[in-house]
Amino acid sequence: MKISSEILITIFDPLRTWAEGSTGNWNMLIGSGFVLVFIGLILIFVYLKKIGEADERTNHIKLISALIMLFVLVLCDIIFPKEYMWQIFFLYKYSIAFFATGIYLVFRYIKDFN
């Protein structure tokens, strides 16, 4: 377990030093996280609305999209450090999950309806 925490520190320490370097860097990190959250939420709501009412086909699509979101959340919980900047990584965890689910719904909509 010691080796994995050292690897994570090596990966995420440059991000921490950059973000703590100035207030502008910190605000840019937070702002880009919120932009990703909103893009992901918009993709999810628009394409769930386009896919249609609940039936056997759409329920399957919605369950797979929820499964993708769960897998991304668990993976981000494993990867992101919990010692520092956990609020920022919490924001990015959900933004990546929403964005991945939205991308799945976009590709599924293109595959099914084009």
Side-chain angles (χ1 to χ4, degrees), residues 86-104:
W86 65 270
Q87 299 97 344
I88 300 298
F89 291 127
F90 185 80
L91 171 68
Y92 274 95
K93 175 176 67 171
Y94 281 96
S95 66
I96 293 169
F98 291 156
F99 194 71
T101 303
I103 294 298
Y104 167 74

Side-chain angles (χ1 to χ4, degrees), residues 35-101:
V35 167
L36 279 175
V37 166
F38 289 131
I39 289 172
L41 285 174
I42 288 170
L43 283 174
I44 289 171
F45 287 128
V46 166
Y47 281 97
L48 283 179
K49 189 73 169 171
K50 282 186 173 186
I51 286 174
E53 295 293 321
D55 59 3
E56 293 84 15
R57 182 187 58 83
T58 59
N59 283 338
H60 181 70
I61 293 171
K62 290 175 184 178
L63 286 174
I64 290 177
S65 65
L67 184 66
I68 289 172
M69 190 178 297
L70 177 68
F71 280 155
V72 170
L73 288 174
V74 169
L75 183 67
C76 287
D77 273 340
I78 292 170
I79 293 174
F80 289 152
K82 294 167 186 53
E83 293 83 27
Y84 53 87
M85 292 178 34
W86 65 270
Q87 299 97 344
I88 300 298
F89 291 127
F90 185 80
L91 171 68
Y92 274 95
K93 175 176 67 171
Y94 281 96
S95 66
I96 293 169
F98 291 156
F99 194 71
T101 303

